């Protein structure tokens, strides 16, 4: 029987210092990447979907603009773009940390395909994630902004994404770090 992927969430509080804006923890990220690489080497059949929170990157911007609760004003849309940029900056740091130890991480930005309704995911492209898993890649997703049919815009957390994807990908395990 084909086992589902293992979902691993790297919490924003774990990989950043939430007391200081835009403050990643590079040594910890290297350690986590190496530990995950060791786990894959011990069981090459493991398929992983990685996700990470925004920690001191996206949360600071999101709280400035109240993005999670809707976006309707020009200032709010400016904040929406800034939240996305902050989340993407941390995502690049995470992806680079994992690639540096030789893991084939492929970053997939949720805002490129997600659509929400009152803060709940209506659609999210799953095919790229499935193709990445089939190709032996490690898809990497993250909490990000999304257009919302009722609220204009919102934020979808990594947990929101995992809950949605779990119904489609049937993970074997979900690990929250």
């Amino acid at each position: 029987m084909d086992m589902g992927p293992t979902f691993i969430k790297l919490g924003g509080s774990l990989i950043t210092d939430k007391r200081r804006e835009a403050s990643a923890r590079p040594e910890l990220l290297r350690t986590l990447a190496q530990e995950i690489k060791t786990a894959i080497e011990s069981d090459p059949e493991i398929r992983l979907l990685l996700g990470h929170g925004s920690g001191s990157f996206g949360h600071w911007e999101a709280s400035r603009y109240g993005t999670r609760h809707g976006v309707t004003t020009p200032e709010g849309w400016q904040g929406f773009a800034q939240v996305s940029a902050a989340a993407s900056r941390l995502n690049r740091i995470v992806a680079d940390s994992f690639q540096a130890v030789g893991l084939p991480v492929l970053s997939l930005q949720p805002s490129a395909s997600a659509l929400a309704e009152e803060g709940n995911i209506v659609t999210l492209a799953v095919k790229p994630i499935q193709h990445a898993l089939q190709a032996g890649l490690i898809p990497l997703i993250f909490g990000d902004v999304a257009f919302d049919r009722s609220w204009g815009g919102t934020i979808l957390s990594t947990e929101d994404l995992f809950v949605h994807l779990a119904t489609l990908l049937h993970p074997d395990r979900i690990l929250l770090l």
Side-chain angles (χ1 to χ4, degrees):
M1 179 164 87
D2 186 34
M3 299 197 24
T6 296
F7 289 12
I8 299 177
K9 184 206 177 194
L10 309 174
S13 296
L14 175 67
I15 63 173
T16 71
D17 180 351
K18 286 183 84 170
R19 297 168 297 176
R20 296 183 314 153
E21 187 172 2
S23 180
R25 293 183 166 152
E27 289 104 25
L28 179 65
L29 281 166
R30 277 191 293 277
T31 299
L32 290 168
Q34 190 57 57
E35 288 176 359
I36 289 171
K37 181 179 182 183
T38 300
I40 291 171
E41 288 171 348
S42 70
D43 183 358
E45 298 299 312
I46 291 176
R47 294 182 305 139
L48 298 179
L49 169 67
L50 284 179
H52 68 80
S54 288
S56 66
F57 286 73
H59 287 280
W60 283 66
E61 294 293 340
S63 66
R64 278 189 191 115
Y65 294 96
T67 309
R68 177 91 169 173
H69 307 290
V71 180
T72 57
T73 66
E75 181 185 22
W77 286 113
Q78 177 66 31
F80 182 86
Q82 289 177 358
V83 169
S84 179
S88 292
R89 279 193 297 278
L90 178 57
N91 180 257
R92 188 74 263 146
I93 293 167
V94 173
D96 289 349
S97 297
F98 279 76
Q99 290 172 350
V101 301
L103 289 174
V105 169
L106 176 66
S107 179
L108 298 169
Q109 185 173 4
S111 63
S113 72
L115 179 64
E117 173 92 33
E118 295 182 356
N120 298 302
I121 298 172
V122 175
T123 61
L124 175 70
V126 70
K127 290 290 183 197
I129 294 169
Q130 291 171 320
H131 285 291
L133 289 167
Q134 290 168 358
L137 299 172
I138 301 170
L140 174 63
I141 61 173
F142 54 99
D144 196 10
V145 297
F147 290 102
D148 189 293
R149 295 192 295 212
S150 298
W151 299 347
T154 191
I155 294 173
L156 299 176
S157 70
T158 308
E159 289 86 355
D160 295 332
L161 299 169
F162 273 15
V163 166
H164 181 79
L165 291 170
T167 64
L168 303 168
L169 299 175
H170 311 288
D172 183 44
R173 289 177 289 193
I174 300 175
L175 306 173
L176 306 175
L177 309 182

